[in-house]
Structures are given as C-alpha cells and as structure tokens.
Amino acid sequence: NSPGEFQPWELIMDKKHFRLWRRPIQGSHLYQYRVFGSYTDVTPRQFFNVQLDTEYRKKWDSLVIKLDVIERDVATGSEVIHWVTHFPYPMYSRDYVYVRRYNVDKENNLMVLVSRAVEHPSVPEDPEYVRVRTYESQMVIRPHKTFDENGFDYLLTYSDNPQTVFPRYCVSWMVSSGMPDFLEKLHSAALKAKKMELEVRDYLAKGP
C-alpha cells in the first residue's frame, strides 16, 4: 500500500463493548471498516468457535437464508462457504461465496480468522440474489489470559461492496448499523452456548 492510498481512520461509533472506525478506499465509493472490541464474560475459544460454526449460526442469526460449506480442505482447514443473507427492504438478498482460513497461534496467544470472496464453479450466480464479489474480513482475537479463560480483545477489519445503487453514506449507514448488530448477536450466541454448554464444534482441535 503506497502512502496516501488510504485516508485516516474516522471514529463513527463508540459503544461500551466496541469502537467502529471507517476510512474511504481510494478510487472507489467504498469504505474499509475497523472494529475494536472487548468482552470479559466469554472465553476466546467460545467466541472463535461460535463464529466458525455454520450450523449454529443458522439458529442465532435470523438474517441467514442459506449458509453452507461447499468445500473443505482437511489439510489446511480452509473452507469455501456459500452465504445468502437478507438485506433491508427494498433491496434484494445478497449472496457471498468466500474462502475462510483460521489459525490459532498458541506461541503468540492469538487467533486469526480471515475471509475473502472467491469464485466457485459449484455456486453459479442466482438471479434471485445479488452476488457480492468484493468482500474481505480479518479478525484477530487476543485473549486477556488464555484461550479458555474469560476475557479477550478483538480487532476486526472489514470491507465489502454490497453493490447497491445507493450513495456511499447509505451503504455506510447499513454497514455501521449492521456490523455492531451482528457482533452483539455473536456475543449473545457465545454466552448462550456457554450457559447451555451447547456442543459447538471445537475448531482449535486439529483434524476434521
């Protein structure tokens, strides 16, 4: 990234559990977003696993229309996912095909989850949905102590092009209201999994 390619970050939301910044992506009408958040009542492992567990997400995220793992690479653990999500009326639902990779770095006490849009032959475009072709997300989770003790910080960097005809400020409003909403739901789902001791798949355990 050359200097001047990015503008400075602008703080647009400051809540109890997180702050949200954005900055314009040069040469486009889009923004990149950054969320810094902290929770003290769930463990990093729970938060990480709940985020990765596609079956569980269908239960707690009411916006999901479809969420399927299309392909899984057992050696690296990376997965190709087809995700269809409701958008606010009057817009069409959006669909995403993306690859996600995750890494648990025990040495540096970090967990990383990275997703980006890809093409996949088994998921052609569906006229019912608008295909989002530009999408990138990276979450880094840093435990306050260990993976299995309550408390962690996370940093989420995110950009996508939802391909709307709306002006930039409308899209920004959708993301800046949708993203915190999603994170709060994710946190509640992790709490619920913890309280009910739900069997969420453990992505830290190696192997399929």
Side-chain angles (χ1 to χ4, degrees):
N1 294 348
S2 60
E5 185 182 338
F6 284 120
Q7 318 287 333
W9 291 100
E10 169 198 359
L11 182 66
I12 55 172
M13 194 176 286
D14 195 346
K15 295 261 195 202
K16 187 182 161 198
H17 290 301
F18 54 80
R19 290 190 191 133
L20 172 67
W21 292 265
R22 69 176 182 194
R23 64 181 176 186
I25 297 173
Q26 204 109 2
S28 80
H29 62 290
L30 302 169
Y31 287 103
Q32 186 181 28
Y33 297 88
R34 177 165 278 180
V35 184
F36 176 79
S38 215
Y39 288 116
T40 52
D41 51 2
V42 286
T43 72
R45 185 190 293 263
Q46 284 152 344
F47 192 69
F48 188 72
N49 285 337
V50 165
Q51 210 165 164
L52 285 161
D53 193 316
T54 48
E55 289 310 304
Y56 183 34
R57 180 167 175 183
K58 290 174 191 175
K59 296 186 179 81
W60 61 261
D61 187 350
S62 58
L63 297 177
V64 167
I65 297 169
K66 195 174 174 190
L67 188 63
D68 296 319
V69 177
I70 305 298
E71 203 179 301
R72 185 176 280 131
D73 180 347
V74 180
T76 63
S78 67
E79 295 171 322
V80 177
I81 289 173
H82 183 213
W83 168 38
V84 186
T85 182
H86 283 290
F87 256 58
Y89 181 82
M91 290 182 284
Y92 286 103
S93 300
R94 297 301 192 259
D95 84 327
Y96 295 73
V97 179
Y98 65 93
V99 63
R100 72 174 186 193
R101 296 188 178 84
Y102 55 88
N103 183 36
V104 177
D105 181 346
K106 294 193 165 126
E107 218 167 288
N108 295 304
N109 209 27
L110 286 179
M111 301 156 133
V112 182
L113 175 57
V114 180
S115 302
R116 66 178 169 80
V118 287
E119 301 271 322
H120 198 278
S122 69
V123 199
E125 274 192 65
D126 184 323
E128 251 186 274
Y129 315 123
V130 175
R131 171 68 49 94
V132 176
R133 299 194 169 278
T134 309
Y135 166 65
E136 265 186 39
S137 153
Q138 180 191 3
M139 183 179 275
V140 179
I141 297 171
R142 186 187 287 280
H144 291 163
K145 290 177 185 159
T146 66
F147 294 137
D148 291 299
E149 289 174 86
N150 282 356
F152 60 90
D153 300 329
Y154 67 86
L155 184 66
L156 170 66
T157 309
Y158 175 89
S159 64
D160 83 349
N161 179 1
Q163 281 163 290
T164 68
V165 291
F166 295 105
R168 180 191 257 184
Y169 68 87
C170 288
V171 177
S172 176
W173 173 81
M174 284 189 310
V175 175
S176 58
S177 55
M179 188 42 97
D181 196 42
F182 169 76
L183 290 163
E184 289 294 349
K185 282 195 292 191
L186 174 61
H187 173 236
S188 302
L191 271 179
K192 195 170 158 194
K194 178 187 175 181
K195 201 170 90 198
M196 295 164 63
E197 294 190 348
L198 292 174
E199 223 13 82
V200 174
R201 184 176 154 204
D202 187 9
Y203 288 82
L204 276 78
K206 273 284 171 251

